Amino acid sequence: MGVARAHERVSDMRLDFLHKASNSIGETQAVVYVEDLTIRTMTGSARGTAENPGRNVRQKAGLNRSILSRGWGLFLSLLEYKLSRRGGRLVRVDPRNTSRTCSACGHVSPENRKTQEAFVWVACGHAENADANAAKNILGAGQARSACSEAKTSESAA
Ligand SMILES: [Zn+2]
């Protein structure tokens, strides 16, 4: 198999994966909340500065590469289309502090994050998987935003 042909196969597999993943979510959920991250922000964030080098640069670089190679932006476009086709929607949420905020009590501190996976909140002792905690924060922020824009819509309709 030639190199060009192999590349084509990989990109077909990637597209197939993105379609399956967006179908499984887009056809079962009404509203999906995601962090409003641009690929640029995600790839730049781990680098840090000379005075304050980014932590876990190596892990983040690996993650960024895998996100880029799997086509995160394309995934969101497909998902948004599939949700809207069924009357659902994709809500993009400000990513600020979603990984530093305690989903139980709302306390914000970078010290909450002990490792890439484990969070133990310094204020209330709440402990949870870091991704699960961030997901709750994203959901909460998205729902607050939705409630706010719905209130505005009904006000202007009245
Ligand atoms: Zn807490």
mmCIF file of all heavy atoms in Angstrom, residues 90-128:
data_model
loop_
_atom_site.group_PDB
_atom_site.id
_atom_site.type_symbol
_atom_site.label_atom_id
_atom_site.label_comp_id
_atom_site.label_asym_id
_atom_site.label_seq_id
_atom_site.Cartn_x
_atom_site.Cartn_y
_atom_site.Cartn_z
ATOM 1 N N LEU A 90 -26.226 22.575 20.602
ATOM 2 C CA LEU A 90 -24.906 22.512 21.219
ATOM 3 C C LEU A 90 -24.659 23.871 21.867
ATOM 4 O O LEU A 90 -24.796 24.904 21.220
ATOM 5 C CB LEU A 90 -23.853 22.238 20.134
ATOM 6 C CG LEU A 90 -22.413 22.060 20.583
ATOM 7 C CD1 LEU A 90 -22.222 20.693 21.245
ATOM 8 C CD2 LEU A 90 -21.470 22.170 19.396
ATOM 9 N N VAL A 91 -24.319 23.847 23.157
ATOM 10 C CA VAL A 91 -24.070 25.103 23.868
ATOM 11 C C VAL A 91 -22.597 25.182 24.235
ATOM 12 O O VAL A 91 -22.068 24.290 24.901
ATOM 13 C CB VAL A 91 -24.931 25.206 25.152
ATOM 14 C CG1 VAL A 91 -24.637 26.502 25.905
ATOM 15 C CG2 VAL A 91 -26.407 25.095 24.822
ATOM 16 N N ARG A 92 -21.930 26.234 23.769
ATOM 17 C CA ARG A 92 -20.514 26.425 24.094
ATOM 18 C C ARG A 92 -20.388 27.288 25.340
ATOM 19 O O ARG A 92 -21.008 28.331 25.435
ATOM 20 C CB ARG A 92 -19.784 27.063 22.906
ATOM 21 C CG ARG A 92 -19.647 26.117 21.720
ATOM 22 C CD ARG A 92 -18.966 26.797 20.554
ATOM 23 N NE ARG A 92 -18.571 25.853 19.521
ATOM 24 C CZ ARG A 92 -19.375 25.405 18.564
ATOM 25 N NH1 ARG A 92 -20.618 25.833 18.493
ATOM 26 N NH2 ARG A 92 -18.941 24.532 17.674
ATOM 27 N N VAL A 93 -19.584 26.804 26.286
ATOM 28 C CA VAL A 93 -19.473 27.431 27.605
ATOM 29 C C VAL A 93 -18.068 27.999 27.787
ATOM 30 O O VAL A 93 -17.083 27.380 27.377
ATOM 31 C CB VAL A 93 -19.772 26.381 28.703
ATOM 32 C CG1 VAL A 93 -19.549 26.945 30.083
ATOM 33 C CG2 VAL A 93 -21.192 25.851 28.560
ATOM 34 N N ASP A 94 -17.995 29.175 28.413
ATOM 35 C CA ASP A 94 -16.701 29.775 28.748
ATOM 36 C C ASP A 94 -15.878 28.788 29.581
ATOM 37 O O ASP A 94 -16.314 28.362 30.643
ATOM 38 C CB ASP A 94 -16.957 31.055 29.563
ATOM 39 C CG ASP A 94 -15.669 31.821 29.851
ATOM 40 O OD1 ASP A 94 -14.563 31.274 29.635
ATOM 41 O OD2 ASP A 94 -15.779 32.969 30.300
ATOM 42 N N PRO A 95 -14.684 28.416 29.107
ATOM 43 C CA PRO A 95 -13.901 27.391 29.809
ATOM 44 C C PRO A 95 -13.166 27.891 31.051
ATOM 45 O O PRO A 95 -12.540 27.106 31.751
ATOM 46 C CB PRO A 95 -12.895 26.952 28.744
ATOM 47 C CG PRO A 95 -12.699 28.157 27.904
ATOM 48 C CD PRO A 95 -14.043 28.865 27.876
ATOM 49 N N ARG A 96 -13.263 29.201 31.335
ATOM 50 C CA ARG A 96 -12.486 29.737 32.448
ATOM 51 C C ARG A 96 -12.827 29.034 33.773
ATOM 52 O O ARG A 96 -13.988 28.937 34.152
ATOM 53 C CB ARG A 96 -12.758 31.235 32.594
ATOM 54 C CG ARG A 96 -11.505 32.041 32.878
ATOM 55 C CD ARG A 96 -11.827 33.525 32.962
ATOM 56 N NE ARG A 96 -12.920 33.892 32.069
ATOM 57 C CZ ARG A 96 -13.749 34.920 32.280
ATOM 58 N NH1 ARG A 96 -13.634 35.655 33.350
ATOM 59 N NH2 ARG A 96 -14.694 35.190 31.415
ATOM 60 N N ASN A 97 -11.811 28.536 34.445
ATOM 61 C CA ASN A 97 -11.918 27.933 35.790
ATOM 62 C C ASN A 97 -12.738 26.650 35.872
ATOM 63 O O ASN A 97 -12.989 26.169 36.968
ATOM 64 C CB ASN A 97 -12.495 28.940 36.802
ATOM 65 C CG ASN A 97 -11.493 30.032 37.131
ATOM 66 O OD1 ASN A 97 -10.290 29.795 37.089
ATOM 67 N ND2 ASN A 97 -11.975 31.211 37.450
ATOM 68 N N THR A 98 -13.143 26.080 34.752
ATOM 69 C CA THR A 98 -13.936 24.848 34.851
ATOM 70 C C THR A 98 -13.129 23.721 35.478
ATOM 71 O O THR A 98 -13.707 22.827 36.089
ATOM 72 C CB THR A 98 -14.457 24.376 33.476
ATOM 73 O OG1 THR A 98 -13.370 24.333 32.557
ATOM 74 C CG2 THR A 98 -15.539 25.287 32.953
ATOM 75 N N SER A 99 -11.796 23.771 35.345
ATOM 76 C CA SER A 99 -10.993 22.693 35.932
ATOM 77 C C SER A 99 -10.423 23.066 37.291
ATOM 78 O O SER A 99 -9.726 22.278 37.915
ATOM 79 C CB SER A 99 -9.870 22.286 34.966
ATOM 80 O OG SER A 99 -9.019 23.384 34.727
ATOM 81 N N ARG A 100 -10.719 24.281 37.761
ATOM 82 C CA ARG A 100 -10.189 24.725 39.062
ATOM 83 C C ARG A 100 -11.282 24.942 40.082
ATOM 84 O O ARG A 100 -11.016 25.310 41.223
ATOM 85 C CB ARG A 100 -9.474 26.072 38.901
ATOM 86 C CG ARG A 100 -8.282 26.027 38.008
ATOM 87 C CD ARG A 100 -7.812 27.440 37.808
ATOM 88 N NE ARG A 100 -6.462 27.472 37.299
ATOM 89 C CZ ARG A 100 -5.722 28.570 37.251
ATOM 90 N NH1 ARG A 100 -6.222 29.705 37.681
ATOM 91 N NH2 ARG A 100 -4.511 28.523 36.767
ATOM 92 N N THR A 101 -12.521 24.785 39.666
ATOM 93 C CA THR A 101 -13.637 25.066 40.551
ATOM 94 C C THR A 101 -14.184 23.779 41.152
ATOM 95 O O THR A 101 -14.318 22.776 40.456
ATOM 96 C CB THR A 101 -14.758 25.783 39.761
ATOM 97 O OG1 THR A 101 -14.226 26.963 39.171
ATOM 98 C CG2 THR A 101 -15.918 26.155 40.664
ATOM 99 N N CYS A 102 -14.489 23.830 42.440
ATOM 100 C CA CYS A 102 -15.103 22.678 43.096
ATOM 101 C C CYS A 102 -16.565 22.606 42.668
ATOM 102 O O CYS A 102 -17.310 23.561 42.870
ATOM 103 C CB CYS A 102 -15.002 22.830 44.612
ATOM 104 S SG CYS A 102 -15.862 21.521 45.504
ATOM 105 N N SER A 103 -16.966 21.469 42.107
ATOM 106 C CA SER A 103 -18.346 21.342 41.657
ATOM 107 C C SER A 103 -19.311 21.191 42.828
ATOM 108 O O SER A 103 -20.506 21.353 42.676
ATOM 109 C CB SER A 103 -18.486 20.158 40.696
ATOM 110 O OG SER A 103 -18.224 18.951 41.373
ATOM 111 N N ALA A 104 -18.775 20.882 44.019
ATOM 112 C CA ALA A 104 -19.634 20.715 45.196
ATOM 113 C C ALA A 104 -19.911 22.042 45.901
ATOM 114 O O ALA A 104 -21.028 22.317 46.296
ATOM 115 C CB ALA A 104 -19.020 19.719 46.172
ATOM 116 N N CYS A 105 -18.875 22.897 46.053
ATOM 117 C CA CYS A 105 -19.077 24.117 46.841
ATOM 118 C C CYS A 105 -18.742 25.398 46.073
ATOM 119 O O CYS A 105 -18.991 26.488 46.560
ATOM 120 C CB CYS A 105 -18.251 24.066 48.136
ATOM 121 S SG CYS A 105 -16.475 24.294 47.886
ATOM 122 N N GLY A 106 -18.165 25.293 44.879
ATOM 123 C CA GLY A 106 -17.907 26.479 44.075
ATOM 124 C C GLY A 106 -16.588 27.174 44.370
ATOM 125 O O GLY A 106 -16.252 28.168 43.728
ATOM 126 N N HIS A 107 -15.823 26.654 45.331
ATOM 127 C CA HIS A 107 -14.535 27.256 45.654
ATOM 128 C C HIS A 107 -13.563 27.103 44.479
ATOM 129 O O HIS A 107 -13.476 26.039 43.876
ATOM 130 C CB HIS A 107 -13.964 26.575 46.917
ATOM 131 C CG HIS A 107 -12.616 27.074 47.331
ATOM 132 N ND1 HIS A 107 -11.475 26.319 47.194
ATOM 133 C CD2 HIS A 107 -12.237 28.259 47.857
ATOM 134 C CE1 HIS A 107 -10.438 27.028 47.636
ATOM 135 N NE2 HIS A 107 -10.873 28.202 48.047
ATOM 136 N N VAL A 108 -12.853 28.206 44.151
ATOM 137 C CA VAL A 108 -11.922 28.186 43.028
ATOM 138 C C VAL A 108 -10.486 28.285 43.521
ATOM 139 O O VAL A 108 -10.144 29.220 44.239
ATOM 140 C CB VAL A 108 -12.182 29.376 42.068
ATOM 141 C CG1 VAL A 108 -11.218 29.322 40.879
ATOM 142 C CG2 VAL A 108 -13.628 29.379 41.590
ATOM 143 N N SER A 109 -9.650 27.310 43.183
ATOM 144 C CA SER A 109 -8.233 27.380 43.503
ATOM 145 C C SER A 109 -7.441 26.443 42.606
ATOM 146 O O SER A 109 -7.843 25.302 42.392
ATOM 147 C CB SER A 109 -8.000 27.013 44.975
ATOM 148 O OG SER A 109 -6.605 26.836 45.194
ATOM 149 N N PRO A 110 -6.288 26.937 42.098
ATOM 150 C CA PRO A 110 -5.448 26.038 41.302
ATOM 151 C C PRO A 110 -4.890 24.895 42.144
ATOM 152 O O PRO A 110 -4.506 23.862 41.611
ATOM 153 C CB PRO A 110 -4.330 26.949 40.784
ATOM 154 C CG PRO A 110 -4.379 28.174 41.611
ATOM 155 C CD PRO A 110 -5.764 28.291 42.161
ATOM 156 N N GLU A 111 -4.855 25.079 43.475
ATOM 157 C CA GLU A 111 -4.335 24.032 44.364
ATOM 158 C C GLU A 111 -5.277 22.838 44.479
ATOM 159 O O GLU A 111 -4.913 21.789 44.991
ATOM 160 C CB GLU A 111 -4.086 24.592 45.764
ATOM 161 C CG GLU A 111 -2.878 25.500 45.840
ATOM 162 C CD GLU A 111 -2.864 26.302 47.136
ATOM 163 O OE1 GLU A 111 -3.287 25.756 48.168
ATOM 164 O OE2 GLU A 111 -2.436 27.458 47.095
ATOM 165 N N ASN A 112 -6.503 23.040 44.008
ATOM 166 C CA ASN A 112 -7.458 21.936 44.056
ATOM 167 C C ASN A 112 -7.004 20.752 43.213
ATOM 168 O O ASN A 112 -7.300 19.605 43.521
ATOM 169 C CB ASN A 112 -8.821 22.402 43.532
ATOM 170 C CG ASN A 112 -9.516 23.328 44.512
ATOM 171 O OD1 ASN A 112 -9.308 23.241 45.707
ATOM 172 N ND2 ASN A 112 -10.342 24.221 43.987
ATOM 173 N N ARG A 113 -6.285 21.106 42.161
ATOM 174 C CA ARG A 113 -5.903 20.053 41.232
ATOM 175 C C ARG A 113 -4.585 19.428 41.652
ATOM 176 O O ARG A 113 -3.530 20.019 41.480
ATOM 177 C CB ARG A 113 -5.800 20.641 39.826
ATOM 178 C CG ARG A 113 -5.619 19.577 38.776
ATOM 179 C CD ARG A 113 -5.871 20.125 37.407
ATOM 180 N NE ARG A 113 -6.137 19.048 36.486
ATOM 181 C CZ ARG A 113 -6.719 19.200 35.314
ATOM 182 N NH1 ARG A 113 -7.119 20.389 34.940
ATOM 183 N NH2 ARG A 113 -6.913 18.177 34.535
ATOM 184 N N LYS A 114 -4.654 18.217 42.210
ATOM 185 C CA LYS A 114 -3.460 17.551 42.718
ATOM 186 C C LYS A 114 -2.654 16.934 41.584
ATOM 187 O O LYS A 114 -1.445 17.037 41.541
ATOM 188 C CB LYS A 114 -3.832 16.476 43.740
ATOM 189 C CG LYS A 114 -4.574 17.011 44.954
ATOM 190 C CD LYS A 114 -3.756 18.037 45.724
ATOM 191 C CE LYS A 114 -4.534 18.552 46.942
ATOM 192 N NZ LYS A 114 -3.951 19.802 47.461
ATOM 193 N N THR A 115 -3.307 16.253 40.701
ATOM 194 C CA THR A 115 -2.652 15.655 39.546
ATOM 195 C C THR A 115 -3.580 15.859 38.350
ATOM 196 O O THR A 115 -4.650 16.439 38.486
ATOM 197 C CB THR A 115 -2.419 14.135 39.712
ATOM 198 O OG1 THR A 115 -3.683 13.471 39.675
ATOM 199 C CG2 THR A 115 -1.703 13.814 41.015
ATOM 200 N N GLN A 116 -3.170 15.368 37.221
ATOM 201 C CA GLN A 116 -3.973 15.484 36.019
ATOM 202 C C GLN A 116 -5.354 14.837 36.213
ATOM 203 O O GLN A 116 -6.351 15.323 35.698
ATOM 204 C CB GLN A 116 -3.231 14.825 34.849
ATOM 205 C CG GLN A 116 -3.774 15.169 33.478
ATOM 206 C CD GLN A 116 -3.466 16.600 33.075
ATOM 207 O OE1 GLN A 116 -2.725 17.307 33.753
ATOM 208 N NE2 GLN A 116 -4.077 17.053 31.997
ATOM 209 N N GLU A 117 -5.412 13.748 36.993
ATOM 210 C CA GLU A 117 -6.671 13.016 37.140
ATOM 211 C C GLU A 117 -7.395 13.312 38.449
ATOM 212 O O GLU A 117 -8.616 13.303 38.492
ATOM 213 C CB GLU A 117 -6.451 11.495 37.079
ATOM 214 C CG GLU A 117 -5.959 10.976 35.749
ATOM 215 C CD GLU A 117 -4.446 11.113 35.596
ATOM 216 O OE1 GLU A 117 -3.749 11.115 36.628
ATOM 217 O OE2 GLU A 117 -3.976 11.250 34.451
ATOM 218 N N ALA A 118 -6.607 13.523 39.516
ATOM 219 C CA ALA A 118 -7.225 13.572 40.836
ATOM 220 C C ALA A 118 -7.388 14.994 41.353
ATOM 221 O O ALA A 118 -6.456 15.789 41.309
ATOM 222 C CB ALA A 118 -6.399 12.760 41.821
ATOM 223 N N PHE A 119 -8.569 15.286 41.834
ATOM 224 C CA PHE A 119 -8.839 16.561 42.473
ATOM 225 C C PHE A 119 -9.214 16.328 43.925
ATOM 226 O O PHE A 119 -10.008 15.455 44.237
ATOM 227 C CB PHE A 119 -10.033 17.239 41.788
ATOM 228 C CG PHE A 119 -9.650 18.143 40.667
ATOM 229 C CD1 PHE A 119 -8.702 17.762 39.744
ATOM 230 C CD2 PHE A 119 -10.252 19.380 40.529
ATOM 231 C CE1 PHE A 119 -8.359 18.596 38.698
ATOM 232 C CE2 PHE A 119 -9.918 20.217 39.476
ATOM 233 C CZ PHE A 119 -8.978 19.828 38.568
ATOM 234 N N VAL A 120 -8.601 17.106 44.820
ATOM 235 C CA VAL A 120 -9.056 17.116 46.201
ATOM 236 C C VAL A 120 -9.217 18.581 46.560
ATOM 237 O O VAL A 120 -8.253 19.340 46.541
ATOM 238 C CB VAL A 120 -8.054 16.442 47.167
ATOM 239 C CG1 VAL A 120 -8.554 16.552 48.603
ATOM 240 C CG2 VAL A 120 -7.837 14.983 46.792
ATOM 241 N N TRP A 121 -10.463 19.006 46.863
ATOM 242 C CA TRP A 121 -10.681 20.415 47.063
ATOM 243 C C TRP A 121 -10.226 20.869 48.426
ATOM 244 O O TRP A 121 -10.592 20.256 49.438
ATOM 245 C CB TRP A 121 -12.138 20.776 46.770
ATOM 246 C CG TRP A 121 -12.248 20.833 45.305
ATOM 247 C CD1 TRP A 121 -11.984 21.893 44.519
ATOM 248 C CD2 TRP A 121 -12.495 19.735 44.427
ATOM 249 N NE1 TRP A 121 -12.069 21.518 43.198
ATOM 250 C CE2 TRP A 121 -12.374 20.220 43.111
ATOM 251 C CE3 TRP A 121 -12.797 18.402 44.620
ATOM 252 C CZ2 TRP A 121 -12.553 19.418 41.998
ATOM 253 C CZ3 TRP A 121 -12.976 17.602 43.523
ATOM 254 C CH2 TRP A 121 -12.858 18.111 42.225
ATOM 255 N N VAL A 122 -9.402 21.923 48.422
ATOM 256 C CA VAL A 122 -8.790 22.388 49.662
ATOM 257 C C VAL A 122 -9.822 22.976 50.617
ATOM 258 O O VAL A 122 -9.644 22.916 51.827
ATOM 259 C CB VAL A 122 -7.655 23.412 49.395
ATOM 260 C CG1 VAL A 122 -6.455 22.708 48.765
ATOM 261 C CG2 VAL A 122 -8.110 24.572 48.526
ATOM 262 N N ALA A 123 -10.911 23.517 50.088
ATOM 263 C CA ALA A 123 -11.877 24.178 50.961
ATOM 264 C C ALA A 123 -12.803 23.201 51.668
ATOM 265 O O ALA A 123 -12.996 23.284 52.878
ATOM 266 C CB ALA A 123 -12.693 25.199 50.173
ATOM 267 N N CYS A 124 -13.381 22.260 50.926
ATOM 268 C CA CYS A 124 -14.418 21.419 51.534
ATOM 269 C C CYS A 124 -14.044 19.946 51.580
ATOM 270 O O CYS A 124 -14.771 19.138 52.141
ATOM 271 C CB CYS A 124 -15.745 21.579 50.796
ATOM 272 S SG CYS A 124 -15.775 20.793 49.171
ATOM 273 N N GLY A 125 -12.911 19.557 51.004
ATOM 274 C CA GLY A 125 -12.490 18.171 51.063
ATOM 275 C C GLY A 125 -13.134 17.267 50.028
ATOM 276 O O GLY A 125 -12.854 16.080 49.975
ATOM 277 N N HIS A 126 -13.984 17.841 49.183
ATOM 278 C CA HIS A 126 -14.632 17.073 48.119
ATOM 279 C C HIS A 126 -13.557 16.509 47.182
ATOM 280 O O HIS A 126 -12.669 17.217 46.751
ATOM 281 C CB HIS A 126 -15.573 18.006 47.340
ATOM 282 C CG HIS A 126 -16.218 17.365 46.163
ATOM 283 N ND1 HIS A 126 -17.175 16.396 46.297
ATOM 284 C CD2 HIS A 126 -16.059 17.559 44.835
ATOM 285 C CE1 HIS A 126 -17.576 16.012 45.088
ATOM 286 N NE2 HIS A 126 -16.926 16.705 44.181
ATOM 287 N N ALA A 127 -13.633 15.213 46.881
ATOM 288 C CA ALA A 127 -12.661 14.593 45.993
ATOM 289 C C ALA A 127 -13.378 13.869 44.866
ATOM 290 O O ALA A 127 -14.408 13.234 45.070
ATOM 291 C CB ALA A 127 -11.797 13.611 46.770
ATOM 292 N N GLU A 128 -12.846 14.019 43.680
ATOM 293 C CA GLU A 128 -13.506 13.443 42.520
ATOM 294 C C GLU A 128 -12.518 13.374 41.371
ATOM 295 O O GLU A 128 -11.503 14.048 41.378
ATOM 296 C CB GLU A 128 -14.686 14.361 42.133
ATOM 297 C CG GLU A 128 -15.635 13.773 41.119
ATOM 298 C CD GLU A 128 -16.840 14.676 40.893
ATOM 299 O OE1 GLU A 128 -16.733 15.892 41.133
ATOM 300 O OE2 GLU A 128 -17.874 14.148 40.488
#
